[in-house]
Amino acid sequence: MSSRNRDLRLSTACMLTVGALTLTACGSGSGEKATGAAPGPSALAAAKGPVTVTLWHGVGAPAGDALQKEIDAFNKANSGKIVVKASFQGSYTDAIAKYTSAIRDGGTPSVMVSNDTTTGYLRDAKQTVSAQAMAAANPKDLDLDQLRPAARNYYTADGELLAVPLNTSMPLLYVNDKLLDQAGVDRSTLGTLDGVAAAARKIHAKAPGVKGIDMPFSGWWFEQLTAAAGVPYCTPDNGRKGDGATALTLTSGPQRAAIGTMAKLYTDGVGLDTGIDGNAALSAFTAGKTAMMLNSSGAIGGLTGAGMTDYTALPYPLSGSESTAGPAIGGAAMWVDQAGHSKAEQVASWKLVSYLASAGAQERFAEASGYAPINTGVDNSPAWKQFLAKNEPYAVLDKQFADTPSTTATSGCLTGAMTGVRAEVEPAMQQAFSGKTSLDDALKAAEKAATAKIQNYREQAGQ
């Protein structure tokens, strides 16, 4: 197949499988692709005058302000050599849509900060140079061994790190201390999904006006239940080898048991349906409508903003073995664009990425944003230790991040059709959790429809 035909097929694949992102093309109008060969320090040293680096991102609110402060500090430290111009592109969906148009029309940014679900697409678009290659060519910059295994794991395929995580979140279990104490719930039982389910039932029985638990119904949470069961969400190997996933799996025994445990809480009236919005789940929890909540670590900031203090954050409950199971990360990563960018610009971009992923920058960014720092060098910081001592929810997140095993299950599914996959899973699970459809029928239907999305993407992309 010619490179031009493959570009056209990949473009069609993007339109068909990630329509929710309003993507219009994946292939460059000129057909230019990244070579994958990373330039070294000499490329930047040979540059005449300051090198301009553009960065696009969808990081808003306090996290966006914290990111800009770090970029300003980088610019000051590299005055006369590198100038970074960062641009907020709206939501992650808006950002990746603009990026995709830029591939077609020209003008992609030097560094693209994009969320976790776009990993497969960005790999397939072949516009970037891998973090692994850049680190090898520039050994005095970022030490990849300092990146937390759980963070590296998500953005790795075929043993190669594709991008460097910037802002990383994880799921946590939040409990209303007063309601749990009134029901006599032993918190030591909440490390497993069965223990959480039993506690939810106990609370609801003793306080009929209170639901035992709530959980957003967005696709991320069914991926979390799968990872915490210790099994892959996609086959083969969660798409981490070769050219990505070929099918979705939702009906394996461990998956069926984990999702079924949660579904029964809802069909029995123990769980509160707040839809797919994590903020709606948070509002119900802060209002005392539910005693426990599964939500992102980003909810810590929301709970603080709501003035809620009588709660405890706990690790995400597992249904699989601690050696293989655990939560999968969320958030976004930094990709260095190569196609259409000079070697000096690529090295300058890598220096920016290295700075933003450094221990110091990650510590400051984490404290300001609520995300987990991805650099293990933060662990040696007295200031960070003091921060964790004063902020217990962050300490729980920090420990979970460090303890999560780097396995196939926790790597998450790698496919360019991920948005389409979630679009099929979410409504099917809502039907099952509401009792309108049997769980087994919903799982089978979602698995079939999502697999069709993956296969259609692969066919159109020429994979």
Side-chain angles (χ1 to χ4, degrees), residues 182-196:
Q182 289 177 347
V185 172
D186 180 358
R187 286 163 181 73
S188 69
T189 66
L190 302 180
T192 67
L193 187 61
D194 285 343
V196 169

Side-chain angles (χ1 to χ4, degrees), residues 204-263:
H204 185 59
K206 294 197 172 186
V210 176
K211 298 292 186 180
I213 195 167
D214 66 354
M215 175 190 82
F217 286 164
S218 63
W220 193 56
W221 291 96
F222 301 99
E223 295 156 35
Q224 296 299 342
L225 286 169
T226 299
V231 293
Y233 196 62
C234 294
T235 57
D237 303 310
N238 252 341
R240 296 292 158 172
K241 297 178 181 178
D243 55 9
T246 59
L248 178 75
T249 174
L250 269 179
T251 55
S252 68
Q255 269 181 305
R256 170 62 177 80
I259 297 174
T261 295
M262 287 301 300

